[in-house]
Amino acid sequence: MATRYGRAMLARAWGIGRSLVMYHGQPGRHRRLVRHYGQFLGPGDLGFDIGAHVGSRVRAWRKLGARVLAIEPQPDCLRVLRLFFGRDQGVTIAPVAVGAEPGTARLALSTATPTVSTMSRDWIETVTADRGFARVRWDRTVEVEVTTLDELIARHGEPAFCKIDVEGFEADVLAGLSRPVRGLSFEYLPAAHDAALAALTHVDRLGALGGGYVYNYSPVETMRWASPRWLDADELTRLLDRFRPLGRSGDVYARRHEPAP
């Protein structure tokens, strides 16, 4: 039993170490993050990082002078966030998940690849049919507290930008938001195309309450725009349809529409 426990702890350390190298071990990537998010956040602004993981966005946003609410339910990732940012008064770490309603839920963890831990069983069933996920295993679960975006806004204030990266649970997160924020992003995965469209539908409905959103797409963390101009929801859907056969994931961005003067 001790040997099994030791192997499990080694696997967890390896998984987190892999994430640290991937997200903090590439100086060029950090510079791209700072440059990219400078379009949405500046000194004194508040950013919500939902699915903060090991804090690469937190680090970039703090470089921009923004305050950050880092939201992450994974115990191992929380240890990293507290180590890196626990003494930073500009960072608040929330050890919770975000969903449509407050309560508790089971979070499926992937020890070797913690970036794909998720609360969506449907998403797991969908992506396991994709060969890119052939070796991924969700090998344990933990019970986590769940809050909503509306509750977080009531407690911490309205964010200038909200990043949502929760592996197929994006639509559930957005269902707990009842008003538009200035800017947001959510992950797009071709293997879960319908889930992304459901998230887009909700975002577009929210945007209609505040003058509308325009959209763009950044493939595979390039921090570069796929379109030279910002698009409406239908145009974005057609753009994603072109990326879908390529199997390239990325992030959808929404910002409030600013009419030409």
Side-chain angles (χ1 to χ4, degrees):
M1 182 176 294
T3 302
R4 186 185 310 155
Y5 176 78
R7 285 199 300 266
M9 293 303 293
L10 183 62
R12 289 170 65 179
W14 187 89
I16 286 295
R18 180 173 178 267
S19 289
L20 288 171
V21 171
M22 184 184 306
Y23 293 108
H24 288 288
Q26 304 176 45
R29 182 180 183 278
H30 175 67
R31 289 192 293 269
R32 289 196 302 272
L33 284 170
V34 173
R35 185 168 57 249
H36 180 75
Y37 285 107
Q39 300 171 81
F40 301 97
L41 290 166
D45 285 339
L46 174 62
F48 282 9
D49 188 355
I50 301 178
H53 195 52
V54 292
S56 62
R57 262 71 174 179
V58 179
R59 181 179 164 213
W61 295 0
R62 289 298 289 142
K63 181 72 173 180
L64 290 164
R67 296 172 295 122
V68 184
L69 177 63
I71 303 151
E72 176 56 60
Q74 293 189 67
D76 292 340
C77 293
L78 280 168
R79 292 186 184 95
V80 172
L81 290 172
R82 287 167 176 151
L83 177 65
F84 285 0
F85 308 107
R87 296 183 181 181
D88 187 338
Q89 294 185 351
V91 178
T92 300
I93 300 169
V96 297
V98 184
E101 297 178 350
T104 60
R106 301 299 297 183
L107 175 67
L109 300 173
S110 175
T111 299
T113 50
T115 53
V116 296
S117 296
T118 180
M119 291 201 301
S120 174
R121 299 303 307 182
D122 290 342
W123 185 83
I124 290 175
E125 292 176 6
T126 298
V127 301
T128 49
D130 185 271
R131 61 185 178 183
F133 285 79
R135 296 184 179 181
V136 176
R137 297 291 180 270
W138 290 267
D139 47 3
R140 57 196 176 100
T141 64
V142 293
E143 187 172 88
V144 297
E145 179 186 350
V146 181
T147 187
T148 67
L149 267 171
D150 280 344
E151 287 188 340
L152 291 171
I153 290 171
R155 190 174 308 136
H156 300 280
E158 183 171 318
F161 185 79
C162 177
K163 184 220 84 178
I164 306 170
D165 186 352
V166 289
E167 310 307 316
F169 210 65
E170 285 80 5
D172 296 80
V173 171
L174 289 162
L177 178 64
S178 61
R179 55 181 173 173
V181 295
R182 195 166 81 193
L184 61 85
S185 69
F186 61 88
E187 186 181 31
Y188 171 71
L189 191 67
H193 182 77
D194 291 343
L197 294 187
L200 175 61
T201 297
H202 189 84
V203 170
D204 210 48
R205 286 173 181 164
L206 285 177
L209 301 175
Y213 279 127
V214 288
Y215 304 92
N216 216 320
Y217 178 63
S218 176
V220 202
E221 299 218 358
T222 58
M223 305 302 148
R224 295 174 181 168
W225 298 125
S227 171
R229 63 180 181 85
W230 287 77
L231 312 170
D232 63 28
D234 288 340
E235 290 173 321
L236 176 71
T237 299
R238 290 194 289 272
L239 178 68
L240 295 179
D241 282 338
R242 295 201 301 271
F243 274 88
R244 186 181 184 186
L246 303 176
R248 301 185 73 194
S249 62
D251 294 285
V252 170
Y253 287 78
R255 64 171 174 80
R256 284 179 180 165
H257 177 62
E258 298 176 359

